[in-house]
Amino acid sequence: QAFPGPLWFVRRQSHRKLPRGRDVSAVSRALVAFRERAAPYVGALAGNGSADRRFYAVLVASEIASGALVDPLVQRLFDEDAGVRSLALEVLPKFHAFAEMQDQLIFLRRTARVRGKDPARRLQALAGLAALRDVGALRNLADLLSDESEPVRRAAHTALVAITCEDLGESTRRWSAWLEKNEGRNRIEWLIDALLSSEESLRAPAGEELKAVTQQYFGYHPAAARKEREVVQTKYRNWWEREGKSLFR
């Protein structure tokens, strides 16, 4: 009831980066200390009260590993406050492994696809699919490249690029052909392929994601010469065949 209480961090004051949820206030620290038992309460806080209160609740949720928070956080993708929406996009990938996420991904795919819905809501759903790197949405996203709404087409293209680290433009035909060749492979293999992309804007995020997801780092730098990147790519390919394929089956 007292949340967030006297604040140690005020979101509307200038700051370089966001603190951890536990550093918002003494009340937030107490909630984080209760971990999963606090999840239902934090989820309720994220959907009620002022925009600031919802923002702080999402920040606290980022430190509590619980499937009970998946639905409340997905709902914040459609929050009326832009800051809350942005924070939800940042926090949600931490919950990707929870079983509850599967139903939410289906919900986001459906929301993005259904024409006649609030255009803003469709765009917010597409942003969520991109943030969650939803491989299961790729066919739908390719179809949306022919949507009558230009913002939807652009958002679908942005999501395709984020998920695949490839950029085939806004051609449904080209993306469909790419999917025919690659959708049977693990996304990690796509990221390894992208290390040699001609566009640094594609290979840089691929390198960062590979390091984060696999916990393997072979000295990759996106601005390095192609031969140096080829050496690192070979190391990743060898690791994938030796260990990664079984770990990420």
Side-chain angles (χ1 to χ4, degrees), residues 49-86:
S50 68
D52 286 347
R53 192 186 201 202
R54 299 193 304 274
F55 182 92
Y56 296 132
V58 172
L59 202 52
V60 170
S62 70
E63 290 208 74
I64 301 175
S66 172
L69 287 167
V70 171
D71 177 70
L73 289 173
V74 168
Q75 294 308 313
R76 298 284 59 78
L77 294 176
F78 306 98
D79 199 277
E80 62 186 23
D81 182 87
V84 174
R85 294 196 303 271
S86 178

Side-chain angles (χ1 to χ4, degrees), residues 20 23-27 34 43-44 49 66 68 70 99 107-108 111 121 143 153 158 175 206 209-211 218 229 240:
R20 297 178 300 176
D23 294 329
V24 167
S25 67
V27 176
F34 278 102
S66 172
V70 171
F107 160 72
L108 289 173
T111 302
R121 192 169 174 84
D143 290 342
R153 294 197 300 271
T158 298
W175 280 106
E209 279 204 67
L210 266 177
K211 182 169 65 174
F218 299 114
R229 289 186 279 116
W240 176 253

Side-chain angles (χ1 to χ4, degrees), residues 96-167:
H96 196 281
F98 287 101
E100 291 85 350
M101 185 61 79
Q102 296 309 308
D103 287 341
Q104 296 302 320
L105 289 173
I106 292 170
F107 160 72
L108 289 173
R109 294 169 198 163
R110 185 184 301 122
T111 302
R113 187 175 65 246
V114 177
R115 291 168 173 81
K117 286 279 187 182
D118 178 0
R121 192 169 174 84
R122 295 182 72 193
L123 297 177
Q124 290 154 3
L126 286 165
L129 294 171
L132 289 163
R133 304 296 192 261
D134 181 19
V135 172
L138 289 174
R139 288 283 179 181
N140 288 338
L141 293 171
D143 290 342
L144 287 175
L145 294 175
S146 58
D147 194 89
E148 66 271 13
S149 167
E150 183 180 351
V152 167
R153 294 197 300 271
R154 288 201 305 266
H157 174 245
T158 298
L160 283 164
V161 173
I163 297 168
T164 65
C165 284
E166 290 280 347
D167 191 350

Side-chain angles (χ1 to χ4, degrees), residues 185-226:
R185 302 167 70 213
N186 192 289
R187 181 170 180 266
I188 290 175
E189 296 178 87
W190 306 346
L191 297 178
I192 295 173
D193 290 347
L195 297 179
L196 293 187
S197 171
S198 60
E199 299 293 332
E200 187 172 338
S201 61
L202 296 175
R203 59 183 188 258
E208 287 300 315
E209 279 204 67
L210 266 177
K211 182 169 65 174
V213 173
T214 67
Q215 297 296 295
Q216 302 293 317
Y217 181 60
F218 299 114
Y220 181 77
H221 194 286
R226 182 179 175 88

